[in-house]
Amino acid sequence: MGNWIAPSAIERELYEAKTGNDWPAYFDALARAWLFVPQGRAYQDANPTSVFLQPVWFPQARAHCYVAYTEGVLPVPTADQVFSKHSLNWFAQRIDPSDPPYLAINPGTPCEAFLPTTPADREVWKFHWNRATAYGLPQDTVHALHVGGPLHGPVAFGLACGAHLSVRNGLFWNALGYHGEGYLKEREKLREWWGVTTREQWLEATERLLAADMVSSVWEFTLRVRVALAKEFAGPVDIEHWRHATEATLRANAERAAEPRITPDGVTVARPRSTAEIEGEIAGVQRVIGRIARYEQRFRADGILGEGKYVRSVEAWDYGRASQMARWGLGARFGTIEETEDAVVRAGRMCRLAYRSWEDLSAGFILGRCLQFDEEEYGHWYTDMVATHRALMSDPGSPWLNIPWG
């Protein structure tokens, strides 16, 4: 390919088909890929249900053309320009005889093509789209930008800390300049899943995740008791020892809370708790210990945890999502590329403090996800992460195999 490095596997496949004059293969690759159309942000905000196709003059085609880009060649997000995501079939249905005579794919790159838009040509597009077995990048597979995305360094490390969700959703793990599924879709997802509809809400959610403020404090307390025991006794902690120590800690905390204390501000009034409240808290934490122990047993059977290993913390559930939230906010134009990079680097820094390896981080992330969503059903909330973990631990292109932890 001369001096040109294809940004991703998508553009590489298009380029190889084009240079080999294999146009059926080119259309097959194009039919499987998502195509992104540039839009003015102001227009999209005012017209969320429509797409404006702007004809552009290209001297090489000697004609006006509609323009679409594949995912790997999208530019760094800017405040005013956004993108909408479509399929080749969408173009085949949308274009009519009064439209420009060509659809320009990735203009200005070695994999560019100017596709005639006659009815007969659009039937060819439909044919290739209909025979595709999947669309977009495959899920549970590691995808990277080889140009335009960091592969090493603090930013790459922070992005790799959120790689579970990128790999699961078939996205480039290292795309800092994130467009996701397009501007409006990214806004919709943040609204539905997080209740985030403004820049201020996005900033608050990002900061809370970076502070591990969304993950349950009960889960983290329970795990930290075991970590303290393991350090004190220099070895594995059996579940009964863990249960007894946790109960003793909770009772001691309740007793301290019931005693008045002298502080620089004066005497702090005691806040005694009822026996029923304390016993209920102890019973709840004991149930959490049982759930964690059973998940860890399953983790070992499925290769997420090594024999004798245990989960140190579930803060990775927040830090990994913080790395993603930073990018989601950029895709939705709630933040800037600089703010996104800062949050991603901070997420990586917090992960380094809390964990000792990629395996350690992964187990913490998956346990947090399962405790929140799975309810010991071992359904897709769990099985999805098993597939993702295995991909990240085995794919030669995985950041976990190419970025040192220490």
Side-chain angles (χ1 to χ4, degrees):
M1 300 199 307
N3 294 324
W4 188 65
I5 299 173
S8 76
I10 302 168
E11 294 76 31
R12 176 179 290 275
E13 191 173 4
L14 291 172
Y15 178 84
E16 290 175 348
K18 176 184 174 181
T19 55
N21 203 32
D22 188 348
W23 290 103
Y26 191 97
F27 282 115
D28 280 340
L30 199 62
R32 292 191 300 270
W34 292 116
L35 302 176
F36 291 80
V37 177
Q39 299 284 287
R41 179 179 171 186
Y43 176 85
Q44 283 280 267
D45 287 339
N47 303 275
T49 61
S50 66
V51 177
F52 178 64
L53 290 174
Q54 173 68 56
V56 178
W57 175 263
F58 286 97
Q60 57 268 55
R62 290 185 293 181
H64 282 90
C65 309
Y66 287 147
V67 180
Y69 299 93
T70 53
E71 198 168 350
V73 299
L74 290 175
V76 173
T78 60
D80 297 328
Q81 185 185 63
V82 297
F83 289 84
S84 59
K85 185 185 82 169
H86 305 282
S87 68
L88 185 61
N89 186 60
W90 181 87
F91 281 99
Q93 302 285 353
R94 172 68 182 264
I95 294 174
D96 60 45
S98 64
D99 285 323
Y102 294 100
L103 172 63
I105 301 295
N106 295 340
T109 74
C111 63
E112 72 176 5
F114 293 88
L115 308 180
T117 60
T118 68
D121 287 297
R122 284 185 281 117
E123 287 301 315
V124 172
W125 302 358
K126 293 177 187 178
F127 169 78
H128 287 274
W129 186 83
N130 284 325
R131 79 173 187 177
T133 57
Y135 304 98
L137 294 169
Q139 293 182 321
D140 299 322
T141 303
V142 179
H143 304 288
L145 283 174
H146 302 291
V147 176
L151 294 168
H152 301 283
V155 178
F157 185 92
L159 291 170
C161 290
H164 287 95
L165 297 180
S166 296
V167 170
R168 171 58 199 153
N169 293 319
L171 299 169
F172 299 122
W173 72 264
N174 64 333
L176 182 68
Y178 177 83
H179 291 277
E181 295 187 69
Y183 170 66
L184 292 179
K185 184 64 176 179
E186 292 303 309
R187 287 210 157 200
E188 177 187 326
K189 290 191 293 185
L190 282 175
R191 181 178 66 253
E192 290 184 357
W193 283 93
W194 294 85
V196 169
T197 60
T198 66
R199 168 175 166 79
E200 291 70 29
Q201 291 172 336
W202 169 71
L203 287 170
E204 180 185 5
T206 303
E207 289 302 321
R208 286 192 63 193
L209 289 168
L210 287 169
D213 188 42
M214 289 193 183
V215 73
S216 169
S217 59
V218 174
W219 307 341
E220 194 63 17
F221 161 77
T222 304
L223 291 168
R224 289 189 179 191
V225 169
R226 182 173 58 177
V227 170
L229 291 172
K231 288 181 179 178
E232 185 174 353
F233 294 99
V237 178
D238 67 60
I239 191 168
E240 290 307 314
H241 186 187
W242 185 13
R243 288 185 186 276
H244 290 313
T246 304
E247 179 179 350
T249 301
L250 289 171
R251 294 191 186 281
N253 289 344
E255 290 176 7
R256 281 193 294 272
E259 298 173 354
R261 290 180 296 147
I262 298 176
T263 69
D265 298 324
V267 177
T268 300
V269 178
R271 299 183 183 275
R273 300 164 62 197
S274 69
T275 300
E277 183 183 357
I278 295 169
E279 295 302 324
E281 182 180 48
I282 291 170
V285 171
Q286 298 291 7
R287 287 194 296 272
V288 170
I289 289 175
R291 290 185 69 194
I292 291 172
R294 289 187 291 274
Y295 270 118
E296 289 180 331
Q297 185 177 15
R298 182 65 178 266
F299 284 9
R300 294 185 190 99
D302 289 333
I304 296 172
L305 274 177
E307 195 60 39
K309 301 290 185 179
Y310 59 89
V311 177
R312 301 172 54 81
S313 166
V314 285
E315 289 183 346
W317 175 231
D318 273 4
Y319 299 147
R321 291 185 297 168
S323 174
Q324 293 290 326
M325 179 62 75
R327 301 199 306 164
W328 297 336
L330 179 60
R333 300 305 190 273
F334 290 135
T336 65
I337 188 74
E338 292 80 13
E339 289 171 323
T340 297
E341 180 175 328
D342 176 70
V344 164
V345 170
R346 288 166 61 196
R349 190 180 305 129
M350 298 308 297
C351 287
R352 281 191 192 273
L353 292 174
Y355 298 95
R356 297 177 176 177
S357 66
W358 292 114
E359 297 95 328
D360 200 13
L361 169 109
S362 186
F365 182 93
I366 296 171
L367 180 60
R369 177 184 170 99
C370 288
L371 290 175
Q372 181 160 342
F373 293 120
D374 184 62
E375 298 182 356
E376 289 192 85
E377 295 177 355
Y378 300 97
H380 75 90
W381 293 107
Y382 175 70
T383 56
D384 289 351
M385 289 297 99
V386 174
T388 295
H389 174 87
R390 289 172 176 168
L392 282 162
M393 293 303 300
S394 63
D395 191 300
S398 169
W400 293 4
L401 299 183
N402 292 286
I403 301 176
W405 184 267

